[in-house]
Every structure is written in C-alpha cells, then in structure tokens.
Amino acid sequence: MADPTKYQGSDWGLYRRLLSYVVPYSAAFAFSVAGFLVYSLGSVLLADLTQFLLDSLGQSSQVELGLVSAAAHWFWPPGDKDPLDYARVAVPVAAVVLSLGRALGFFVGNYYMNVVARSVVHTLRVELFEVMMAAPRRYYDANTSGNLLSKITFNVEQVSGAASDALKAILREGLTVMALVTYMLYLNWRLTLIFFVVAPAIGLVVVVVGRHFRRYSRRIQDSMGAVTQVSSESLGAFEALRVFAATRQQVAKFTNASLFNRNQSLKLAFVQAVSTPVIQTLLALALGALFWFALDPTILAGFSAGSLVAFITAAAQMGKPIRTLSGVQSIIQRGLAAAEDVFAQIDISPEPDRGTTPLARAKGEIVMERVSFRYPEANEYALENISLQLKPGETVALVGRSGSGKSTLVQLLLRFYAPDHGEIRLDDLVIEEYALADYRSQFGVVSQNISLFSDTIANNIAFGQMADASYESVLAAAQQAHAIEFIEALPQGLDTTLGDGGSGLSGGQKQRLAIARALLKDAPILVLDEATSALDTESETYIQDALAEFCKDRATLVIAHRLSTIENADRVIVLDQGCIVATGPHQQLLNDSPLYARLHKQEISQS
C-alpha cells in the first residue's frame, strides 16, 4: 500500500510531477502564456502613457524616453502638429488600443488556462478512478467508500488549483511584476532597488505562512472524507435510520465532522488573512521610502514630470500583483497537500497478477489443499487447513454459522486474497499461474449483495465481458431466471433504465437479474451465495429447477443458510471456526454431524 506521506518535504518534486499533467496541453498553455504576456505589457504601457500625456502638456514630447510616445511617432509621425495637438489624437487612440489589447490578453490567458485546468482535473480523476478499479481487495478493506469518493471529487479539485489557478496567478501577476520592475529599472535603476530591499522579508512571510497552509489543508481533506462518508452512509440507509430512530444520532455525527472541517477552514482563512496585511505593510514601507527618495532634488533633476509620474504609477501598480502572488501560496499548499494523497493513491500497486498461462475455458475441477488464511492484523486464522475438491458436474454446498469462513473461502477461490499457506488448483494448475482476467472469466457468481447499475435492464444482464451479447440471448437468460414476468410489466421492458443500485425493484427481482447475468455468462464454474434467499417459495422452486438443469455439466459451489436449498447437493461441507468439521450428503450429515443437525433443526423451528 502506498504511503500518503511519501512526498512530504519534497514540494518541488511533487509540483514537478503535478506540472507533468499540463504537458499534454502545452498548446493551450502556450496560448495562455502569450495572453498573459500581452496583459502584463499592457499594464506597463498604460503607466508609460501617463508620461506621454504629461510631457505633451509641457509642449515637449519625450520621444526618446516614452515607449508609447516612441511607438506613436513611429506609426503616425506628427508632421507639423505641435505636441499638444498631436497628443489630443494619439493619447486617446493609444489608451483605447492598449485597453483592448490588455482585455484580449486577459481573456486569452484566463480561458486557455481554464482549458488546461479542466483537462488536468479530467485526466487526474480518470487516472485515479482507473487505479481504484484495479486496486487489490485489501485497499478497499482499508478505505471507506465515502473516503474514496472524497479523493476523486474534493482532493482532485484541490490539486487542479495548484496546477491551474496558481499557475494562472503566477503567470499573470508574475509577468506583470517583471514587466513593471523592468520598466522602473529602465526609468531609474537606483530608485527601483528599494523594492529589492523588502523582497527577502516578503519571501520569509510567504515561507512561514506556507507551512501552516499545508498542515491545515491536510486536515481539511481528512475532514471532507469524514463528511462524505457520513453523508454516503446516512443517505443510503435512510429507512434504517428512521425505523430505529437514529436520525438525531447521525445528524450529530455529521455535525461533528462538518464542525471540524469548519474549524480547520477558519484556521486556514486566519493565516491567509494575517499574511495579506503584513505583506501590504511591507509594500507600503517600500513605497514610502521610494517617494521620499524620488522627491530628492538631485533625483528629480534626472526626471521629466511625465517620467516621474510614470515611475510612481508603475510602482503603485506593483501592490496588487504582489498581494495576489502572496495569496497563491495558499492555493499551492492546498493543492500540494491534496497531491500528496492523490499521487499516493495513483502509486498503489494494482491487484497482483503474475499469471501468464492463458485459459479459454476450464474443465472446472478445483482442488484446495491444506489452505490457511488470516486477515491482516487478525490474531486467528479465518480458514485453517482446508482441503476439498470440486469436480465438473458436481454441486458442493458450504454450510456453517456466521463467521465460519464460507465467504472467505469464496474470496480465496476468486483470487481476491492469496492463501497464507497451501494452494488452490484449477485443472491441476495452481490458480496464480493463470492470467487473472482469464481465470475470473471461468466463474459465474450470484452474490447475496447484488450489484446493479444505473443502466438498462438489458445492459445490467449483459454486463462486462458479456456486453456484446445478442438481444435474444439476454432475453433467453431472463426467461431462464424467471425474470421476464416482471421485466415485461415495466414501461420499456428490457430497455427500462434502473435507478441507483436497482432502486424500485424488490429484493427478489434484483436477485433474478443477478441469476440471469450468471446464466448468460455460461461459465464452467458457478458460485451461488444465498442466490435464492430473497425469493418466495414458488419462485425459488422454479429457479432451483432451472439452475439444476444449468449446473449439470458445471462445477457448482453453493453457500446457503437455508439448508432446504441444498438438500440435493452431491456433498455438503460443514465449516466451523474456519475448519471443516464434517462432509457428506445431507441425509448422512443429519445423522453424523451434531452441528449440521442442530442448524437444520433451528431452521425447521424458525420456519
């Protein structure tokens, strides 16, 4: 499992990896840079325009000093016009052209940076989702669904801020500051050095504040995971909450999670609010010193009135971009805190698949030999020294009390976990040697927990590798599973779109769709985990008959709590505390296994 703190302390390495997601969109990024460059030059030239205007009032145009003035004289020579008449036309036209150019640059820069931003979000989100889909079972054991959902939504959005919003501000305001400083150096380099005196102090404030930003940002992410988890659990269990009068309890739980998120957000806002006035004060001191030196008679001697005002205007414009750049630190630190976690998820190892042997269709003979397995951090084995055999055409039932290891055995068989000891073989080959996708394609599974998706009934039956199945084969599977009766009663039949998780269908209807899906897969090995538990007696009889016909040439493993459903199994294996305590036909076990007889008696007394 990946370490979420792997990137702590390596901001540049983390940010460099984050910027690598911008590279595929370099064309849009280049347009954005060009737009912001035009915008920043516009800011400088608007300041320079004041020199053109003021010097024209003095009837002496300083063409050799003013950039706008020089450009105007080059494009439109004044001829015999005096400076004031020339400025009456040239200054307004220049002001309009510069404003339009600056506005166009702002639009191009922001729009194309947003193109980059949303593309990065999309790429990261898809990559993270793909990783989660390929993650091992232990990953899901260690993370709640709400926490994983928060990583895909909230954390990725925070990362995009560092990759886009921060870049946008750095480019736009950074280029503006560079252009203004360059212009001020051009006018008077000695006065400009005053700004370089306060630069280290501003940098120190940014570094100190950044450390707090990262810490609070991590806490905000964790609290958002808690908020999402409580929300997801509560919205999915609203019936149970109301039946057991637990709504107030969940509201209190949600309130606490949200309150922690609020408190961390306020701490972050406080640090950000403190840093801004500190930086503004430093800038004000620099501007005050600049004005004091600029009004010195020896300094004034080197300025025209227009160039002095242009210098002061440029210096005054430095405040806003520097404040914005100091605020970028919070965006970057929030993004880097999120990136630590997102990249830790992306770097997790996929489900192990060292198998290289292809498998088209297995015969279906399964052998477990002295298999033991213990869950991580568990003290006792969930399964211990399990040996059994399942042959093609044979139906074997697993029976036992809750927690006896039945579901764990199926998880091992499906390669969601690997045994700690012993081995499992399929057709005389250890299952880890088969390519994982090929191996799992040999199993048709009907689970107690049925997974249905917001799609049509037909697509829910023809699911995954069966997506190309014909309409006729889907219809035949639905008929065989005795699902066609309720399907035909729906408005669009097989084309009816189901709600989330199959909402609107009864438990029995969902179970029939799951059985139809397994029948359509036509796999050589069938695993039935309480496959008919939600059906009425009549429907169960019909489906049991259909499954009996279907299982004739297949290896079938049945997990059941209702022992009446397995009376016709070839063999029944009784599990208790992770061990096989009895095996044999149903009638023999009633006589030879006290545990099996007791379970059977309890079922009869409860029926």
Side-chain angles (χ1 to χ4, degrees), residues 276 315 419 501 504 556 561 570 583:
T276 300
T556 305
H561 293 96
D570 297 303
T583 182

Side-chain angles (χ1 to χ4, degrees), residues 22-233:
V22 176
V23 172
Y25 314 103
S26 54
F29 185 75
F31 276 115
S32 180
V33 171
F36 287 135
L37 185 60
V38 170
Y39 172 82
S40 62
L41 290 176
S43 299
V44 171
L45 295 177
L46 282 173
D48 186 77
L49 185 62
T50 60
Q51 176 181 347
F52 186 10
L53 176 61
L54 291 177
D55 287 342
S56 296
L57 294 175
Q59 299 292 311
S60 60
S61 179
Q62 301 289 318
V63 176
E64 69 280 1
L65 288 178
L67 301 175
V68 176
S69 174
H73 281 72
W74 184 79
F75 275 109
W76 182 46
D80 57 355
K81 295 182 179 66
D82 63 42
L84 186 57
D85 289 336
Y86 179 77
R88 288 184 64 190
V89 177
V91 170
V93 170
V96 171
V97 170
L98 290 176
S99 296
L100 288 176
R102 194 165 177 262
L104 179 62
F106 184 86
F107 165 76
V108 170
N110 277 278
Y111 175 74
Y112 281 101
M113 188 56 73
N114 282 326
V115 170
V116 173
R118 301 325 302 174
S119 299
V120 168
V121 168
H122 169 71
T123 302
L124 267 176
R125 194 165 279 157
V126 170
E127 185 173 347
L128 181 56
F129 187 76
E130 286 180 347
V131 167
M132 288 181 176
M133 290 298 97
R137 177 58 189 262
R138 296 177 191 272
Y139 176 74
Y140 289 92
D141 293 340
N143 291 279
T144 64
S145 58
N147 189 32
L148 295 179
L149 184 61
S150 178
K151 294 178 190 299
I152 294 176
T153 54
F154 180 76
N155 288 14
V156 171
E157 202 66 41
Q158 292 295 304
V159 170
S160 76
S164 59
D165 294 345
L167 270 179
K168 189 190 302 181
I170 290 171
L171 284 174
R172 185 180 65 232
E173 310 303 345
L175 287 173
T176 299
V177 169
M178 290 173 60
L180 289 171
V181 168
T182 302
Y183 179 65
M184 291 165 62
L185 287 170
Y186 164 72
L187 291 178
N188 192 305
W189 65 270
R190 291 183 180 85
L191 278 179
T192 308
L193 291 180
I194 294 173
F195 276 98
F196 291 97
V197 173
V198 298
I202 293 175
L204 179 63
V205 172
V206 169
V207 170
V208 172
V209 168
R211 292 172 183 167
H212 293 283
F213 281 147
R214 179 77 74 88
R215 181 168 66 251
Y216 294 136
S217 295
R218 289 197 194 104
R219 294 177 185 174
I220 290 170
Q221 288 168 203
D222 293 340
S223 62
M224 276 304 299
V227 167
T228 308
Q229 173 61 21
V230 175
S231 303
S232 176
E233 287 179 343

